[in-house]
Amino acid sequence: MQRYFIYLAYDGTRYHGWQVQPNGISVQECLMKALGTFLREDIEVVGAGRTDAGVHASLMVAHFDYGLSLEPDTVADKLNRLLPPDISVFRIRRVKPGAHARFDAVERTYKYYVVSAKYPFNRQYRWRIHSRLDYDRMNEAARTLLEYSDFTSFSKLHTDVKTNICRITHAEWTQEDDITWVFTIRADRFLRNMVRAIVGTLVEVGRGKLSVDGFRRIIEQKDRCKAGTSAPGQALFLVDVAYPQDIFAD
């Protein structure tokens, strides 16, 4: 069997997340159906992670196995004809047989977008916050994330993960234009709902409702109930997944 990595993007607005769900359509399900139609057999697809309902990806990676050699450019073109308009495949690469889209990823990067004014063309992809935010204080709090590894306080409760340990290497708010700020966070792995919980809690810091020391204490308490409300999903994007070069076969 030959293993392939699929690099794809999707608008998550109408999906119940990446993972196949019993009661709603998912990105993974659509991709498997398209592959099955093209290759004329059932194809299992494994993603680099799970994005929540309504969350987007400008770059997601998944892998699948197939018994015959495929021409990557041809497969990408055929899949794009079969996939709905809000999912697109832009690259397929051959990888070594043991390569794994989830377990071999060394870094993942997310971006979260916040706006301070009404703008009709990005309403589906931004979180509009009416109150004024202190982004200097939010960045001071965000820097403390790099000092810790246990992020139980920002994890969805009752998940099936064995550990809540993550290594965050970058967490920063930057201004994109007059009304838009973006939070970029990079780590070796993320917990369910982690980025949205962090953003929601940092916004409490920016509103003056939570101090930087208070944010630090929330991390140390390892209690999801102590953190802020999760930010809305529609403003969150998975933007990159990085792998070691030695897993690729081409």
Side-chain angles (χ1 to χ4, degrees):
M1 298 291 283
Q2 174 65 58
R3 179 157 291 184
Y4 296 89
F5 272 17
I6 303 178
Y7 291 75
L8 67 150
Y10 54 85
D11 180 332
T13 302
R14 72 184 187 98
Y15 297 100
H16 289 247
W18 162 265
Q19 193 85 358
V20 170
Q21 303 289 332
N23 300 314
I25 188 172
S26 70
V27 179
Q28 183 185 33
E29 177 186 352
C30 289
L31 185 57
M32 288 194 299
K33 284 183 177 179
L35 275 166
T37 299
F38 173 56
L39 299 176
R40 300 181 184 278
E41 65 178 70
D42 291 337
I43 299 293
E44 185 70 25
V45 171
V46 178
R50 302 175 182 176
T51 53
D52 295 334
V55 175
H56 318 289
S58 58
L59 190 152
M60 166 64 93
V61 183
H63 76 247
F64 73 95
D65 295 324
Y66 188 60
L68 301 176
S69 180
L70 296 172
E71 175 55 46
D73 291 341
T74 300
V75 177
D77 180 63
K78 296 293 187 182
L79 288 178
N80 281 325
R81 296 183 186 188
L82 293 166
L83 287 165
D86 49 10
I87 303 175
S88 66
V89 172
F90 54 87
R91 189 178 191 187
I92 292 179
R93 293 189 69 179
R94 290 190 306 115
V95 294
K96 295 178 180 178
H100 198 285
R102 179 182 175 189
F103 298 133
D104 283 331
V106 294
E107 277 190 335
R108 297 163 172 86
T109 304
Y110 282 88
K111 289 183 180 289
Y112 193 96
Y113 294 86
V114 167
V115 292
S116 58
K118 184 177 181 180
Y119 188 63
F121 302 111
N122 62 18
R123 68 191 185 281
Q124 290 182 294
Y125 310 106
R126 303 291 186 265
W127 181 20
R128 184 186 174 193
I129 298 181
H130 297 270
S131 54
R132 188 178 182 87
L133 299 179
D134 185 336
Y135 286 97
D136 288 337
R137 283 169 52 88
M138 291 163 69
N139 269 331
E140 185 181 350
R143 284 192 290 272
T144 68
L145 293 166
L146 279 63
E147 303 173 22
Y148 295 90
S149 59
D150 190 324
F151 294 101
T152 301
S153 293
F154 301 122
S155 174
K156 186 175 182 179
L157 298 174
H158 311 303
T159 62
D160 57 358
V161 299
K162 293 182 174 62
T163 176
N164 289 335
I165 302 299
C166 308
R167 183 176 61 89
I168 296 177
T169 56
H170 182 84
E172 183 182 22
W173 290 92
T174 55
Q175 189 168 11
E176 190 171 83
D177 55 41
D178 290 344
I179 66 169
T180 307
W181 283 78
V182 56
F183 178 63
T184 304
I185 184 166
R186 186 177 302 114
D188 60 342
R189 64 190 290 265
F190 287 92
L191 308 172
R192 292 285 303 278
N193 203 238
M194 179 175 165
V195 179
R196 292 168 58 198
I198 289 174
V199 170
T201 309
L202 287 173
V203 166
E204 293 298 288
V205 174
R207 286 171 167 159
K209 296 181 178 180
L210 180 67
S211 68
V212 174
D213 286 339
F215 183 83
R216 184 186 294 274
R217 284 194 297 272
I218 285 173
I219 302 174
E220 294 173 349
Q221 286 175 307
K222 302 175 185 179
D223 183 351
R224 178 65 185 91
C225 296
K226 303 296 183 182
T229 303
S230 293
Q234 85 274 3
L236 179 60
F237 290 75
L238 173 63
V239 300
D240 193 29
V241 186
Y243 295 92
Q245 284 301 308
D246 60 6
I247 70 170
F248 296 101
D250 55 9

mmCIF file of all heavy atoms in Angstrom, residues 106-109 166-170 185-190 194:
data_model
loop_
_atom_site.group_PDB
_atom_site.id
_atom_site.type_symbol
_atom_site.label_atom_id
_atom_site.label_comp_id
_atom_site.label_asym_id
_atom_site.label_seq_id
_atom_site.Cartn_x
_atom_site.Cartn_y
_atom_site.Cartn_z
ATOM 1 N N VAL A 106 4.880 18.021 13.810
ATOM 2 C CA VAL A 106 5.736 18.576 14.862
ATOM 3 C C VAL A 106 5.256 19.940 15.337
ATOM 4 O O VAL A 106 5.566 20.364 16.455
ATOM 5 C CB VAL A 106 7.204 18.670 14.393
ATOM 6 C CG1 VAL A 106 7.773 17.282 14.176
ATOM 7 C CG2 VAL A 106 7.328 19.501 13.121
ATOM 8 N N GLU A 107 4.487 20.638 14.513
ATOM 9 C CA GLU A 107 3.924 21.933 14.898
ATOM 10 C C GLU A 107 2.608 22.168 14.175
ATOM 11 O O GLU A 107 2.440 21.753 13.024
ATOM 12 C CB GLU A 107 4.880 23.087 14.554
ATOM 13 C CG GLU A 107 5.955 23.343 15.564
ATOM 14 C CD GLU A 107 6.692 24.634 15.274
ATOM 15 O OE1 GLU A 107 6.714 25.075 14.116
ATOM 16 O OE2 GLU A 107 7.249 25.212 16.224
ATOM 17 N N ARG A 108 1.718 22.848 14.864
ATOM 18 C CA ARG A 108 0.465 23.297 14.268
ATOM 19 C C ARG A 108 0.306 24.765 14.610
ATOM 20 O O ARG A 108 0.644 25.194 15.712
ATOM 21 C CB ARG A 108 -0.716 22.498 14.817
ATOM 22 C CG ARG A 108 -0.662 21.008 14.499
ATOM 23 C CD ARG A 108 -1.596 20.232 15.408
ATOM 24 N NE ARG A 108 -1.708 18.835 15.021
ATOM 25 C CZ ARG A 108 -0.876 17.872 15.407
ATOM 26 N NH1 ARG A 108 0.154 18.187 16.192
ATOM 27 N NH2 ARG A 108 -1.057 16.625 15.024
ATOM 28 N N THR A 109 -0.244 25.533 13.677
ATOM 29 C CA THR A 109 -0.426 26.969 13.895
ATOM 30 C C THR A 109 -1.874 27.351 13.620
ATOM 31 O O THR A 109 -2.440 26.968 12.594
ATOM 32 C CB THR A 109 0.492 27.791 12.966
ATOM 33 O OG1 THR A 109 1.849 27.383 13.156
ATOM 34 C CG2 THR A 109 0.369 29.284 13.277
ATOM 35 N N CYS A 166 1.096 20.170 26.430
ATOM 36 C CA CYS A 166 1.384 20.745 25.116
ATOM 37 C C CYS A 166 2.586 21.677 25.256
ATOM 38 O O CYS A 166 2.824 22.242 26.326
ATOM 39 C CB CYS A 166 0.200 21.551 24.577
ATOM 40 S SG CYS A 166 -1.383 20.692 24.579
ATOM 41 N N ARG A 167 3.305 21.865 24.176
ATOM 42 C CA ARG A 167 4.439 22.797 24.181
ATOM 43 C C ARG A 167 4.123 23.950 23.228
ATOM 44 O O ARG A 167 4.210 23.810 22.013
ATOM 45 C CB ARG A 167 5.725 22.082 23.755
ATOM 46 C CG ARG A 167 6.979 22.970 23.796
ATOM 47 C CD ARG A 167 8.210 22.147 23.458
ATOM 48 N NE ARG A 167 8.115 21.577 22.125
ATOM 49 C CZ ARG A 167 8.532 22.198 21.013
ATOM 50 N NH1 ARG A 167 9.043 23.414 21.088
ATOM 51 N NH2 ARG A 167 8.424 21.594 19.847
ATOM 52 N N ILE A 168 3.752 25.087 23.807
ATOM 53 C CA ILE A 168 3.443 26.282 23.016
ATOM 54 C C ILE A 168 4.733 27.045 22.754
ATOM 55 O O ILE A 168 5.488 27.348 23.679
ATOM 56 C CB ILE A 168 2.420 27.176 23.739
ATOM 57 C CG1 ILE A 168 1.083 26.428 23.888
ATOM 58 C CG2 ILE A 168 2.219 28.495 22.991
ATOM 59 C CD1 ILE A 168 0.025 27.208 24.669
ATOM 60 N N THR A 169 5.015 27.360 21.497
ATOM 61 C CA THR A 169 6.249 28.058 21.142
ATOM 62 C C THR A 169 6.017 29.488 20.676
ATOM 63 O O THR A 169 6.964 30.262 20.550
ATOM 64 C CB THR A 169 6.991 27.282 20.030
ATOM 65 O OG1 THR A 169 6.101 27.103 18.907
ATOM 66 C CG2 THR A 169 7.439 25.921 20.533
ATOM 67 N N HIS A 170 4.770 29.845 20.411
ATOM 68 C CA HIS A 170 4.465 31.212 19.976
ATOM 69 C C HIS A 170 3.024 31.530 20.319
ATOM 70 O O HIS A 170 2.129 30.710 20.089
ATOM 71 C CB HIS A 170 4.679 31.355 18.466
ATOM 72 C CG HIS A 170 4.428 32.738 17.945
ATOM 73 N ND1 HIS A 170 5.378 33.731 17.975
ATOM 74 C CD2 HIS A 170 3.317 33.309 17.403
ATOM 75 C CE1 HIS A 170 4.878 34.838 17.460
ATOM 76 N NE2 HIS A 170 3.618 34.613 17.105
ATOM 77 N N ILE A 185 -1.055 31.439 17.360
ATOM 78 C CA ILE A 185 -0.537 30.533 18.392
ATOM 79 C C ILE A 185 -0.014 29.271 17.718
ATOM 80 O O ILE A 185 -0.646 28.725 16.806
ATOM 81 C CB ILE A 185 -1.619 30.203 19.445
ATOM 82 C CG1 ILE A 185 -1.034 29.331 20.559
ATOM 83 C CG2 ILE A 185 -2.864 29.584 18.821
ATOM 84 C CD1 ILE A 185 -1.925 29.242 21.798
ATOM 85 N N ARG A 186 1.176 28.838 18.154
ATOM 86 C CA ARG A 186 1.843 27.681 17.558
ATOM 87 C C ARG A 186 2.254 26.717 18.675
ATOM 88 O O ARG A 186 2.776 27.147 19.711
ATOM 89 C CB ARG A 186 3.061 28.125 16.772
ATOM 90 C CG ARG A 186 3.763 27.033 15.989
ATOM 91 C CD ARG A 186 4.917 27.600 15.176
ATOM 92 N NE ARG A 186 4.457 28.629 14.256
ATOM 93 C CZ ARG A 186 4.787 29.921 14.318
ATOM 94 N NH1 ARG A 186 5.600 30.349 15.284
ATOM 95 N NH2 ARG A 186 4.325 30.781 13.450
ATOM 96 N N ALA A 187 2.007 25.429 18.459
ATOM 97 C CA ALA A 187 2.355 24.425 19.463
ATOM 98 C C ALA A 187 2.560 23.076 18.801
ATOM 99 O O ALA A 187 2.188 22.873 17.637
ATOM 100 C CB ALA A 187 1.256 24.322 20.519
ATOM 101 N N ASP A 188 3.129 22.136 19.553
ATOM 102 C CA ASP A 188 3.315 20.795 19.005
ATOM 103 C C ASP A 188 1.987 20.059 18.903
ATOM 104 O O ASP A 188 1.819 19.192 18.044
ATOM 105 C CB ASP A 188 4.316 20.003 19.844
ATOM 106 C CG ASP A 188 3.894 19.834 21.304
ATOM 107 O OD1 ASP A 188 3.015 20.588 21.772
ATOM 108 O OD2 ASP A 188 4.457 18.949 21.981
ATOM 109 N N ARG A 189 1.028 20.395 19.765
ATOM 110 C CA ARG A 189 -0.301 19.799 19.724
ATOM 111 C C ARG A 189 -1.273 20.735 20.444
ATOM 112 O O ARG A 189 -0.859 21.613 21.210
ATOM 113 C CB ARG A 189 -0.326 18.403 20.377
ATOM 114 C CG ARG A 189 0.000 18.420 21.866
ATOM 115 C CD ARG A 189 0.203 17.016 22.409
ATOM 116 N NE ARG A 189 -1.045 16.251 22.452
ATOM 117 C CZ ARG A 189 -1.834 16.156 23.526
ATOM 118 N NH1 ARG A 189 -1.525 16.791 24.647
ATOM 119 N NH2 ARG A 189 -2.922 15.426 23.492
ATOM 120 N N PHE A 190 -2.566 20.554 20.172
ATOM 121 C CA PHE A 190 -3.592 21.342 20.834
ATOM 122 C C PHE A 190 -4.675 20.423 21.374
ATOM 123 O O PHE A 190 -4.983 19.384 20.781
ATOM 124 C CB PHE A 190 -4.229 22.349 19.857
ATOM 125 C CG PHE A 190 -3.337 23.496 19.512
ATOM 126 C CD1 PHE A 190 -2.507 23.445 18.397
ATOM 127 C CD2 PHE A 190 -3.310 24.638 20.295
ATOM 128 C CE1 PHE A 190 -1.679 24.507 18.065
ATOM 129 C CE2 PHE A 190 -2.487 25.708 19.981
ATOM 130 C CZ PHE A 190 -1.671 25.644 18.861
ATOM 131 N N MET A 194 -9.054 24.213 22.839
ATOM 132 C CA MET A 194 -7.995 24.929 23.557
ATOM 133 C C MET A 194 -7.797 26.361 23.074
ATOM 134 O O MET A 194 -7.726 27.299 23.889
ATOM 135 C CB MET A 194 -6.686 24.140 23.430
ATOM 136 C CG MET A 194 -5.476 24.766 24.097
ATOM 137 S SD MET A 194 -4.066 23.629 23.983
ATOM 138 C CE MET A 194 -2.708 24.728 24.396
#
